[in-house]
Amino acid sequence: MAGGTTARERLLDELSSVSRRYMASYALFNQAVADHLGLHPTDLQCLNLLTLEGAPVTTGRIAELTGLTTGSATRLVDRLEKAGYVVRERDAGDRRKVLVATVPEKIAEFGRMWERLGGGWSTLFDGLDDSQLAVIVGHMRRTVEFSGAQVARLRAGEV
């Protein structure tokens, strides 16, 4: 199209706007959930990431997962421990190493709250076929990778 915008350009503009609204709505949702639980939003997301790890981790690993310094990650663990969501325990294989483990009862409580809030989440995808779902999954994976790289750039002062 001479002098005009193409359909792809219009879609990319719309994607940009919708993405910004999506990220804002998720940040506000995350803040509301954190407020409800009496947690900081970063602490809530760390707890989310810990449940995905599947096993106790070091504070260093928490720093890697969150992009925080080890000092900030230690303070985050302190807050989660005070709130009863995690405990520190010695590594059975290396007694010098301290691991951070989630508290199963608190994680179950956390999970029940997510089920109440997101119970209808999967119905958002009812009209999509498997190939469309695969496109969404691929997009989300690429977005996670892209966001991680941008966080690293910001923390390194490259922006």
Side-chain angles (χ1 to χ4, degrees):
M1 292 180 119
T5 58
T6 66
R8 182 173 180 85
E9 289 169 329
R10 286 190 302 276
L11 280 171
L12 287 171
D13 284 346
E14 184 177 0
L15 179 59
S16 176
S17 295
V18 169
S19 293
R20 290 174 57 198
R21 288 185 190 279
Y22 174 82
M23 288 184 288
S25 71
Y26 186 78
L28 294 169
F29 172 74
N30 186 62
Q31 180 69 58
V33 172
D35 290 347
H36 179 76
L37 294 173
L39 296 173
H40 186 279
T42 302
D43 299 0
L44 175 65
Q45 287 310 309
C46 177
L47 194 57
N48 175 42
L49 292 169
L50 288 174
T51 63
L52 293 171
E53 285 293 289
V57 298
T58 64
T59 303
R61 175 66 179 145
I62 290 171
E64 289 174 17
L65 290 169
T66 60
L68 297 171
T69 64
T70 54
S72 293
T74 297
R75 289 187 294 280
L76 185 154
V77 171
D78 290 344
R79 292 190 302 269
L80 287 176
E81 187 174 42
K82 184 177 180 185
Y85 285 97
V86 301
V87 293
R88 287 178 168 100
E89 54 189 36
R90 293 275 175 207
D91 185 339
D94 180 353
R95 301 289 298 158
R96 297 169 296 171
K97 191 186 296 185
V98 176
L99 298 174
V100 178
T102 57
V103 174
E105 300 81 21
K106 290 292 275 188
I107 297 304
E109 179 184 309
F110 180 69
R112 285 190 295 277
M113 186 204 56
W114 278 114
E115 287 173 17
R116 288 191 303 274
L117 289 171
W121 182 79
S122 65
T123 62
L124 293 172
F125 307 101
D126 283 351
L128 303 178
D129 63 32
D130 290 352
S131 66
Q132 291 170 312
L133 285 176
V135 168
I136 293 170
V137 169
H139 164 72
M140 295 188 100
R141 284 187 178 138
R142 286 188 307 277
T143 300
V144 167
E145 291 170 11
F146 179 80
S147 296
Q150 299 313 310
V151 167
R153 287 183 64 209
L154 287 164
R155 295 202 190 280
E158 296 176 9
V159 178

